[in-house]
Amino acid sequence: MEDLGRGLLPERETNRVVIRRGLKVVIFGSILVAFPCLLYILKAFSSSSNGAPVSDPDDYFNMNLVLLRDLLDEGLIKKGQKGFLLCSHSEEAMEFLRNSGVHLLTEEDLQKEKTVDFVFSSRSHGSQQDFNKILKDKGLVIFPLSNDPSTNLGLIRSYKIVYLRRFEKTVVAMRKTRSLSLRKTAAKEEIKKTILKNLEAVYLEPPLKTKTKFKSRKIKFLPDILKDSLDEYPRRVFISDEATALDWFNKKYPMKDQRFEFHSLEHETGGLSLYSWLEKNTKPEDYVVMKAEARAVEEVIRNQRMNLVDELFLECKNEWSDGDRNGRAKAYWECLALYGEVSDEGIAVHQWWN
């Protein structure tokens, strides 16, 4: 028993040995776990399109091969397509795309081609204007989501998500759709709140006619409220039920240096009702401004075509301002009710005073 006892360590010493060995295992395991991350960090800061260090870590987009294979396997990027990289990247990613039959354009190539099928970007907000101009309709933008959700909202208007997967960061691919009017997007409710909050106040009582010329409140136009440049719409249209409003629109409306089509319904309807004319001559993706009288607007609402209009100048002939000739003038509360009904559709509506 005495000899056997010599081969045994006291309990305290045994614990020390176990702890030392345990620490070694933990440290070694931590190194193994961290090693791929260290390689990634080193790679991110040492690789770019020209091999130069990346000065801004946020500009690096880890286009790993799993992501690239996903995009190719799902047909989001296809052989023969042309793309552009708006981010720092690894040579490995470029080589993989080239070997897959995908053409990556340089800035010099882009001067000739003008548009591409897809764009990789390091961020959605910083370079949105850049890739918006060069992406074809139905083109694809691929980028890592920002930690700040507000910076990812800029694409809601004219892009839809077609791919979403978590890597080091969540990567999203969005398809460029034909530019839709702001009221027809997923952000409709938020946009409606912005419109209603910023429109000029409505007259709750009709302004009385006086000897001096009546001046309406300053109009807050939709492009100014939403800071919309109007450059993404395929068409911009102004429709009026009276020719004199065309001249007013041309002088007063913030057209943002964009070309508008002008249509006077006094001469163009050819017997068509207003809602039928809208249905035949406009599309949901057009930007449509309209000046119309209340009864025509009511007909448009009844036939569910108000969604084709972005901004409305509503003339409502009422008993106070126009008397009750032929029983056609409305009670003023009816004018206010119609104003509210149009507002509830998410349309910027203004009272029109002659």
Side-chain angles (χ1 to χ4, degrees):
M1 293 291 296
E2 188 177 343
D3 291 336
L4 185 61
R6 288 174 184 171
L8 296 174
L9 290 172
E11 185 177 350
R12 187 177 300 171
E13 289 297 319
T14 302
N15 289 340
R16 286 177 184 171
V17 172
V18 170
I19 289 169
R20 287 195 197 102
R21 288 177 179 171
L23 285 172
K24 288 178 182 178
V25 170
V26 169
I27 292 168
F28 184 69
S30 299
I31 292 171
L32 286 177
V33 170
F35 189 68
C37 299
L38 292 171
L39 284 178
Y40 166 73
I41 293 168
L42 290 172
K43 185 177 183 181
F45 281 88
S46 63
S47 300
S48 67
S49 56
N50 57 8
V54 179
S55 57
D56 180 3
D58 288 337
D59 189 49
Y60 183 80
F61 184 177
N62 181 29
M63 296 186 292
N64 63 72
L65 299 188
V66 176
L67 167 64
L68 298 179
R69 286 195 187 98
D70 262 5
L71 296 173
L72 286 161
D73 289 346
E74 295 188 20
L76 297 173
I77 294 178
K78 299 176 182 178
K79 183 178 180 180
Q81 286 189 334
K82 297 175 182 178
F84 189 71
L85 306 181
L86 275 169
C87 56
S88 301
H89 47 273
S90 68
E91 183 60 39
E92 182 184 33
M94 291 187 68
E95 185 178 355
F96 178 84
L97 289 171
R98 284 194 292 259
N99 290 342
S100 301
V102 175
H103 306 290
L104 296 176
L105 304 186
T106 64
E107 289 188 17
E108 187 177 349
D109 296 331
L110 201 58
Q111 296 298 319
K112 302 173 185 176
E113 296 286 342
K114 302 298 182 185
T115 57
V116 294
D117 300 292
F118 66 89
V119 169
F120 279 93
S121 178
S122 57
R123 47 175 77 87
S124 65
H125 56 293
S127 52
Q128 182 181 345
Q129 287 185 341
D130 296 329
F131 61 66
N132 218 17
K133 291 177 182 176
I134 64 175
L135 263 183
K136 297 177 179 178
D137 278 346
K138 299 186 179 180
L140 204 69
V141 57
I142 307 104
F143 59 89
L145 287 179
S146 167
N147 292 327
D148 178 4
S150 64
T151 62
N152 300 312
L153 296 178
L155 294 174
I156 285 179
R157 175 174 171 185
S158 52
Y159 288 76
K160 64 178 181 179
I161 296 174
V162 293
Y163 177 89
L164 188 71
R165 183 168 176 179
R166 175 77 180 176
F167 296 98
E168 288 88 358
K169 290 186 176 181
T170 299
V171 175
V172 62
M174 301 187 79
R175 177 83 66 194
K176 184 178 182 181
T177 60
R178 296 187 71 181
S179 301
L180 294 180
S181 174
L182 286 169
R183 71 192 183 287
K184 302 156 191 161
T185 67
K188 178 177 176 179
E189 286 304 313
E190 286 304 313
I191 290 170
K192 185 164 77 171
K193 288 177 187 176
T194 301
I195 293 171
L196 295 177
K197 181 181 177 182
N198 290 282
L199 282 175
E200 69 277 7
V202 65
Y203 281 95
L204 297 179
E205 294 182 354
L208 297 176
K209 288 187 174 181
T210 62
K211 293 181 180 180
T212 58
K213 187 178 179 182
F214 164 70
K215 285 188 176 180
S216 66
R217 290 168 179 162
K218 184 178 180 182
I219 295 172
K220 296 181 179 178
F221 297 101
L222 183 61
D224 293 334
I225 290 174
L226 297 180
K227 297 180 174 57
D228 189 351
S229 65
L230 303 179
D231 62 347
E232 293 184 3
Y233 299 92
R235 292 171 68 220
R236 289 154 294 275
V237 181
F238 178 61
I239 308 158
S240 176
D241 58 2
E242 58 176 302
T244 55
L246 300 179
D247 184 55
W248 170 87
F249 183 89
N250 199 38
K251 291 177 179 177
K252 299 292 186 180
Y253 197 82
M255 291 186 279
K256 308 295 183 182
D257 296 322
Q258 302 298 324
R259 178 182 172 274
F260 271 75
E261 297 175 22
F262 296 92
H263 298 274
S264 174
L265 300 184
E266 286 181 317
H267 307 109
E268 295 186 27
T269 52
L272 288 176
S273 60
L274 178 56
Y275 82 86
S276 297
W277 191 94
L278 284 168
E279 189 175 49
K280 183 178 179 181
N281 294 281
T282 66
K283 297 179 180 178
E285 58 264 27
D286 296 334
Y287 182 82
V288 178
V289 184
M290 183 170 75
K291 186 269 164 183
E293 207 277 325
R295 295 184 187 279
V297 172
E298 287 173 329
E299 191 178 24
V300 174
I301 293 173
R302 279 197 303 272
N303 288 277
Q304 300 181 346
R305 292 295 177 269
M306 208 65 208
N307 66 316
L308 293 170
V309 179
D310 290 272
E311 190 167 16
L312 173 68
F313 295 89
L314 174 64
E315 181 180 7
C316 188
K317 295 174 181 176
N318 63 83
E319 57 191 348
W320 290 87
S321 58
D322 296 273
D324 194 19
R325 293 186 294 272
N326 301 320
R328 293 184 60 82
K330 289 180 173 293
Y332 192 69
W333 68 264
E334 292 179 292
C335 295
L336 293 178
L338 180 57
Y339 179 97
E341 193 172 355
V342 175
S343 294
D344 288 343
E345 296 268 346
I347 294 160
V349 56
H350 314 272
Q351 291 172 301
W352 178 272
W353 307 101
N354 279 324

